[in-house]
CSV table of all heavy atoms in Angstrom, one decimal:
chain,number,residue,atom,x,y,z
R,82,GLY,N,85.7,86.7,115.0
R,82,GLY,CA,85.6,86.6,116.4
R,82,GLY,C,86.5,87.5,117.2
R,82,GLY,O,86.5,87.6,118.5
R,85,PRO,N,90.3,91.9,113.2
R,85,PRO,CA,91.3,91.4,112.2
R,85,PRO,C,92.6,92.3,112.3
R,85,PRO,O,92.6,93.4,112.7
R,85,PRO,CB,90.5,91.8,110.9
R,85,PRO,CG,89.1,91.7,111.2
R,85,PRO,CD,89.0,92.3,112.6
R,93,VAL,N,96.3,101.4,115.8
R,93,VAL,CA,97.6,102.0,116.0
R,93,VAL,C,97.8,103.4,115.5
R,93,VAL,O,98.2,104.3,116.2
R,93,VAL,CB,98.8,101.1,115.6
R,93,VAL,CG1,100.2,101.8,115.8
R,93,VAL,CG2,98.8,99.8,116.3
R,110,PHE,N,82.5,105.0,105.4
R,110,PHE,CA,82.3,105.3,104.1
R,110,PHE,C,82.6,104.1,103.2
R,110,PHE,O,81.9,103.8,102.2
R,110,PHE,CB,83.0,106.6,103.7
R,110,PHE,CG,82.8,107.0,102.2
R,110,PHE,CD1,81.8,108.0,102.0
R,110,PHE,CD2,83.5,106.5,101.2
R,110,PHE,CE1,81.5,108.4,100.7
R,110,PHE,CE2,83.3,106.9,99.9
R,110,PHE,CZ,82.2,107.9,99.6
R,120,PHE,N,75.1,95.9,96.0
R,120,PHE,CA,73.7,96.2,95.5
R,120,PHE,C,73.6,96.5,94.0
R,120,PHE,O,72.8,95.9,93.3
R,120,PHE,CB,73.1,97.4,96.3
R,120,PHE,CG,71.8,97.7,95.9
R,120,PHE,CD1,70.6,97.1,96.4
R,120,PHE,CD2,71.5,98.8,94.9
R,120,PHE,CE1,69.4,97.6,96.0
R,120,PHE,CE2,70.3,99.2,94.5
R,120,PHE,CZ,69.1,98.5,95.1
R,129,ASP,N,66.4,88.8,85.6
R,129,ASP,CA,65.0,89.4,85.5
R,129,ASP,C,63.9,88.6,85.9
R,129,ASP,O,62.9,89.0,86.4
R,129,ASP,CB,64.8,90.0,84.1
R,129,ASP,CG,65.8,91.1,83.8
R,129,ASP,OD1,66.3,91.8,84.8
R,129,ASP,OD2,66.1,91.4,82.6
R,151,ASP,N,79.3,96.3,112.5
R,151,ASP,CA,79.0,96.4,114.0
R,151,ASP,C,80.1,95.7,114.8
R,151,ASP,O,80.6,96.3,115.8
R,151,ASP,CB,77.6,95.8,114.3
R,151,ASP,CG,76.5,96.6,113.8
R,151,ASP,OD1,76.7,97.8,113.5
R,151,ASP,OD2,75.3,96.2,113.7
R,180,LEU,N,101.2,118.8,122.0
R,180,LEU,CA,101.8,119.3,120.8
R,180,LEU,C,100.8,119.4,119.7
R,180,LEU,O,100.9,120.4,118.9
R,180,LEU,CB,102.9,118.2,120.4
R,180,LEU,CG,103.6,118.4,119.1
R,180,LEU,CD1,104.4,119.6,119.2
R,180,LEU,CD2,104.5,117.2,118.8
R,206,VAL,N,111.1,116.7,109.1
R,206,VAL,CA,110.5,115.3,109.2
R,206,VAL,C,111.5,114.3,108.7
R,206,VAL,O,112.1,114.4,107.7
R,206,VAL,CB,109.2,115.3,108.3
R,206,VAL,CG1,108.6,113.9,108.3
R,206,VAL,CG2,108.2,116.3,108.7
R,226,SER,N,119.4,122.8,120.2
R,226,SER,CA,118.6,121.8,121.0
R,226,SER,C,117.7,121.1,120.0
R,226,SER,O,117.1,121.6,119.0
R,226,SER,CB,117.8,122.5,122.1
R,226,SER,OG,116.9,123.3,121.6
R,235,ASN,N,109.5,104.5,112.3
R,235,ASN,CA,110.7,105.3,112.1
R,235,ASN,C,110.5,106.6,111.4
R,235,ASN,O,111.3,107.0,110.6
R,235,ASN,CB,111.9,104.5,111.5
R,235,ASN,CG,112.3,103.3,112.3
R,235,ASN,OD1,112.7,103.4,113.4
R,235,ASN,ND2,112.2,102.1,111.8
R,268,PHE,N,113.2,119.4,105.4
R,268,PHE,CA,113.3,120.5,106.3
R,268,PHE,C,112.4,121.6,105.8
R,268,PHE,O,112.1,121.9,104.6
R,268,PHE,CB,114.8,121.1,106.3
R,268,PHE,CG,115.8,120.2,106.7
R,268,PHE,CD1,116.5,119.4,105.9
R,268,PHE,CD2,116.0,120.1,108.1
R,268,PHE,CE1,117.5,118.6,106.3
R,268,PHE,CE2,117.0,119.3,108.6
R,268,PHE,CZ,117.8,118.5,107.8
R,339,ARG,N,109.7,116.5,77.0
R,339,ARG,CA,109.6,117.2,78.3
R,339,ARG,C,111.0,117.4,78.9
R,339,ARG,O,111.4,118.4,79.4
R,339,ARG,CB,108.8,116.4,79.2
R,339,ARG,CG,107.3,116.3,78.9
R,339,ARG,CD,106.5,115.9,80.1
R,339,ARG,NE,106.8,114.5,80.4
R,339,ARG,CZ,106.2,113.4,79.9
R,339,ARG,NH1,105.3,113.5,78.9
R,339,ARG,NH2,106.6,112.2,80.2
R,361,VAL,N,123.4,116.1,73.2
R,361,VAL,CA,122.9,116.2,71.9
R,361,VAL,C,123.3,117.4,71.2
R,361,VAL,O,123.7,118.4,71.9
R,361,VAL,CB,121.4,115.9,71.8
R,361,VAL,CG1,120.9,114.7,72.4
R,361,VAL,CG2,120.7,117.1,72.4
R,380,PRO,N,103.8,129.5,70.9
R,380,PRO,CA,105.2,129.7,71.1
R,380,PRO,C,105.6,129.5,72.6
R,380,PRO,O,104.8,129.9,73.5
R,380,PRO,CB,105.5,131.2,70.7
R,380,PRO,CG,104.4,131.6,69.9
R,380,PRO,CD,103.2,130.8,70.4
R,387,GLU,N,104.7,129.5,83.0
R,387,GLU,CA,103.6,128.4,83.2
R,387,GLU,C,104.1,127.0,82.8
R,387,GLU,O,103.9,126.1,83.5
R,387,GLU,CB,102.3,128.7,82.4
R,387,GLU,CG,101.5,129.9,82.9
R,387,GLU,CD,102.1,131.3,82.5
R,387,GLU,OE1,103.1,131.3,81.7
R,387,GLU,OE2,101.5,132.3,82.7
Side-chain angles (χ1 to χ4, degrees):
V93 173
F110 182 92
F120 178 84
D129 293 338
D151 286 343
L180 178 60
V206 179
S226 64
N235 293 304
F268 296 97
R339 292 193 301 271
V361 300
E387 290 82 356

